[in-house]
Amino acid sequence: LWDQLGDQLGGQLGDQLWGQLREAKVEWQELWFAGGAEAFWIAFYDYAQSIGVNYSDGQSDWLSAWMKYAETCGCLYPYEGIAFVSRRPTRLVFNDNQLLHSEVGPAMEFADGFAIHAWNGVRVPKKWIESSSLVAPAEVLSTQNVEQRAAGISIIGMAKMLDKLDHKILDSDPDPSHGDLVQVMLPDLPDPVFYLKAECPRNGTIMEPVNPHEMDEMSVLAAQAWRVGIPTSEFIYPTVRT
């Protein structure tokens, strides 16, 4: 159905639109500049000039103009007689990997109020960030996009999501501060993920992901040892936890 409708409607509407544009003598142009997003290109050419590369007449001036534009503006779509210019964002927040990420508000925001909420580079609904305590696990799990769903689970916290997910406890320690080793199946992912669930005196119930491929054995003790980067045989539980 999609193939049939796509081909038919796309062909009809496309031919009609381009016919009208040709009659109106409107020329299609793809010329645009991305402002600060192109800073890496600008730096490349500026560095070449700084080490002695000679640009032809006028090119150095063009480069200076490009640099100044990137420092002050966002995307630019220039046409003959008119240009559409975007201001730079008033707010930009990244994680350590330079991906858009904010736990308390928009990761990107513009002066007119347009904003993007993102979690480790994945765009998510505003509510998930600014009212996460009100988001029901079912809302996150019903999200079709796999990356967005995974981000939602991370935002809400696996401890709150656990009752809604297929999971089983692989190992358990009588001391709640030592915790449980839990295997969790996430929707649409072929392989399970593993967590250490424990009680923290400061943060309450915590669930931290662990890598079973780097553990000596599938046990709570091995998971605790893996967290601090030592062999299971060398790990001893602290007598006091803070």
Side-chain angles (χ1 to χ4, degrees):
L1 179 62
W2 173 253
D3 291 339
Q4 293 176 357
L5 288 176
D7 292 341
Q8 184 177 356
L9 291 176
Q12 292 177 354
L13 294 176
D15 292 342
Q16 182 179 356
L17 175 60
W18 286 114
Q20 293 175 356
L21 290 175
R22 282 193 295 271
E23 291 177 5
K25 296 182 178 180
V26 175
E27 295 184 2
W28 172 256
Q29 296 180 350
E30 294 185 352
L31 182 63
W32 64 281
F33 297 99
E38 293 183 330
F40 64 100
W41 275 117
I42 301 170
F44 173 79
Y45 291 114
D46 184 47
Y47 173 74
Q49 182 173 244
S50 70
I51 61 174
V53 175
N54 294 318
Y55 298 132
S56 60
D57 293 342
Q59 288 184 336
S60 181
D61 293 337
W62 277 101
L63 177 59
S64 297
W66 191 16
M67 291 173 62
K68 185 175 181 179
Y69 173 80
E71 292 172 354
T72 56
C73 299
C75 292
L76 163 68
Y77 290 83
Y79 298 92
E80 185 176 353
I82 188 172
F84 298 93
V85 182
S86 170
R87 293 181 178 179
R88 299 194 68 172
T90 56
R91 174 183 171 89
L92 274 175
V93 185
F94 301 96
N95 63 12
D96 292 338
N97 295 320
Q98 293 302 298
L99 297 173
L100 284 175
H101 176 82
S102 175
E103 302 179 10
V104 295
M108 175 185 289
E109 188 172 19
F110 292 83
D112 64 354
F114 176 80
I116 291 176
H117 292 74
W119 186 269
N120 291 322
V122 178
R123 189 169 180 178
V124 297
K126 174 182 177 180
K127 177 183 178 182
W128 289 12
I129 299 293
E130 301 194 7
S131 304
S132 59
S133 62
L134 303 178
V135 179
E139 177 181 338
V140 174
L141 294 176
S142 64
T143 303
Q144 295 299 311
N145 184 282
V146 176
E147 290 186 347
Q148 196 174 55
R149 185 167 61 239
I153 292 173
S154 178
I155 293 170
I156 294 177
M158 183 58 72
K160 292 183 179 179
M161 300 291 300
L162 201 57
D163 290 341
K164 302 294 183 179
L165 295 171
D166 180 15
H167 71 281
K168 62 181 179 180
I169 297 176
L170 302 180
D171 187 39
S172 183
D173 191 291
D175 188 334
S177 68
H178 299 172
D180 303 323
L181 179 61
V182 186
Q183 174 184 292
V184 183
M185 293 299 301
L186 298 179
D188 294 338
L189 293 182
D191 300 318
V193 291
F194 299 85
Y195 290 86
L196 177 66
K197 180 182 179 183
E199 295 299 320
C200 173
R202 181 178 58 193
N203 300 316
T205 302
I206 61 170
M207 287 193 68
E208 297 185 359
V210 296
N211 187 346
H213 302 295
E214 298 178 356
M215 290 163 47
D216 301 326
E217 58 187 39
M218 294 297 288
S219 67
V220 171
L221 183 66
Q224 291 278 8
W226 179 85
R227 288 178 63 244
V228 295
I230 63 175
T232 305
S233 59
E234 298 180 9
F235 179 80
I236 300 175
Y237 288 110
T239 55
V240 178
R241 308 206 58 164
T242 60

